[in-house]
Amino acid sequence: MDQYCVFGHPIEHSRSPFIHQMFAQQTKQQLSYEKKWVELDGFTQVITDFIAKGGKGANVTVPFKEQALQICDQLSQAAKRAGAVNTLSFIDGKILGDNTDGIGLVQDLLRHKVKIADSNILLLGAGGAAKGVLLPLLRKKPKNIIIANRTASKAKLLSEQFSIYPVVGCGFDDIPFSEFDIIINATSASLTGTFPDISAQLIHAKMTCYDMVYSKELTPFLQWAKAQGAAKVFDGLGMLVGQAAVSFNIWRNVTPDVETVINALRADIAKS
Ligand code: ATR
């Protein structure tokens, strides 16, 4: 049976096996998908061992996505631009690296009927998560993307890497205008129970607020946005399933249905 695995540190809360096993059932594919905790200095060895045992592909999560890029023989454009790899394929002795996070976000926004083309987007955060979604978002031709970060210099630096596009970097206090169609929280603030300290005046009823993180209850950022009057608030569960579906397609050449898996996962999380 073809073997797949997700590698991370920590890994116990990963939902990837649940998602990929559902995809496999749905598309009648014979495969196994497991999760494995990896020592911080053990990533390369673990991948070498997995390939030697016949592994066909892997997902890579925090904190190994940059290291994964280093071990690849070939990289997709998305992986190069993101500077990180979340999907590895092992084919004919070669390691191919891709990054499906950004496409997962774009597909989830479109699934929610959010128009990206011609929109004004405020992207909060300038770390790996923000960097990974910039190119896929830009490919959908938004009017502007403003990257705002707690540490303004990091946002400016990131925007300079995308200077051929309509991208501007700034701090939370000098966001250049206030009429945004979409705000995406790509900071890790939700993980510590907080949210980015941006002006409440940025929120209005017709906009979409998206948090790349998901949780059982609404994330702190989405709770706050809703309290300020945002009507459309979405968490990153659909993005998680979306990026997994793109990985599954890379490995198996078949596109699974995400909707049933999102619903099953939401129900499973509600029980936990
Ligand atoms: P990731 O790969 O999840 O993006 P990262 O590269 O460590 O992780 O980046 C974390 C991002 O979340 C950064 O943009 C960070 O802002 P700083 O660059 O100013 O550190 C942002 N972040 C983390 N906690 C935050 C908080 N409480 N409020 C606002 N931004 C926060």
Side-chain angles (χ1 to χ4, degrees):
M1 197 186 292
D2 289 349
Q3 295 174 60
Y4 298 86
C5 190
V6 57
F7 296 99
H9 178 130
I11 200 66
E12 58 274 18
H13 297 299
S14 173
R15 300 284 181 169
S16 293
F18 180 100
I19 295 168
H20 282 280
Q21 281 154 17
M22 271 198 81
F23 287 164
Q25 273 173 10
Q26 204 191 82
T27 59
K28 304 194 168 36
Q29 304 274 307
Q30 294 296 316
L31 58 89
S32 71
Y33 188 110
E34 288 171 4
K35 58 184 169 191
K36 194 164 168 53
W37 181 87
V38 180
E39 294 275 7
L40 288 176
D41 61 354
F43 179 71
T44 307
Q45 190 59 50
V46 161
I47 294 295
T48 308
D49 294 347
F50 187 61
I51 296 170
K53 279 197 315 185
K56 294 281 181 207
N59 284 128
V60 181
T61 188
V62 178
F64 300 120
K65 290 185 188 184
E66 284 82 13
Q67 270 188 59
L69 184 113
Q70 303 300 328
I71 64 165
C72 290
D73 298 297
Q74 222 173 295
L75 291 168
S76 70
Q77 174 78 349
K80 280 185 205 160
R81 270 296 192 172
V85 160
N86 78 335
T87 305
L88 295 169
S89 307
F90 311 123
I91 299 171
D92 299 335
K94 293 233 177 327
I95 305 180
L96 315 185
D98 211 323
N99 191 314
T100 65
D101 289 329
I103 310 171
L105 169 69
V106 166
Q107 288 186 355
D108 199 41
L109 285 168
L110 298 176
R111 187 179 70 85
H112 287 301
K113 313 236 177 314
V114 178
K115 184 169 164 275
I116 303 172
D118 231 22
S119 64
N120 281 315
I121 301 178
L122 176 60
L123 181 64
L124 303 173
K131 194 173 174 184
V133 299
L134 268 168
L135 187 65
L137 282 172
L138 286 164
R139 288 220 166 110
K140 292 291 171 193
K141 305 229 179 321
K143 200 185 287 169
N144 287 293
I145 298 186
I146 308 295
I147 308 168
N149 194 44
R150 184 173 60 181
T151 312
S153 57
K154 269 172 75 182
K156 286 178 187 152
L157 209 65
L158 182 55
S159 70
E160 280 159 19
Q161 293 174 29
F162 290 84
S163 55
I164 58 162
Y165 296 103
V167 175
V168 173
C170 60
F172 290 156
D173 292 334
D174 51 356
I175 294 172
F177 53 90
S178 57
E179 275 299 301
F180 290 100
D181 305 296
I182 308 170
I183 302 185
I184 299 165
N185 182 19
T187 74
S188 50
S190 295
L191 300 175
T192 52
T194 57
F195 57 89
D197 186 18
I198 56 166
S199 164
Q201 287 175 357
L202 293 166
I203 310 294
H204 60 88
K206 287 189 184 155
M207 77 187 332
T208 297
C209 291
Y210 194 99
D211 199 330
M212 283 169 55
V213 169
Y214 69 91
S215 54
K216 192 169 168 180
E217 280 90 32
L218 220 47
T219 68
F221 170 65
L222 297 181
Q223 278 182 35
W224 173 79
K226 215 172 162 185
Q228 308 311 315
K232 288 177 276 182
V233 298
F234 305 116
D235 73 9
L237 193 102
M239 175 179 172
L240 173 74
V241 178
Q243 63 78 28
V246 181
S247 296
F248 194 86
N249 180 268
I250 289 170
W251 296 326
R252 312 298 300 183
N253 205 20
V254 54
T255 304
D257 173 54
V258 293
E259 204 75 43
T260 48
V261 179
I262 290 169
N263 293 338
L265 191 54
R266 188 76 75 191
D268 195 58
I269 289 168
K271 276 192 301 192
S272 63

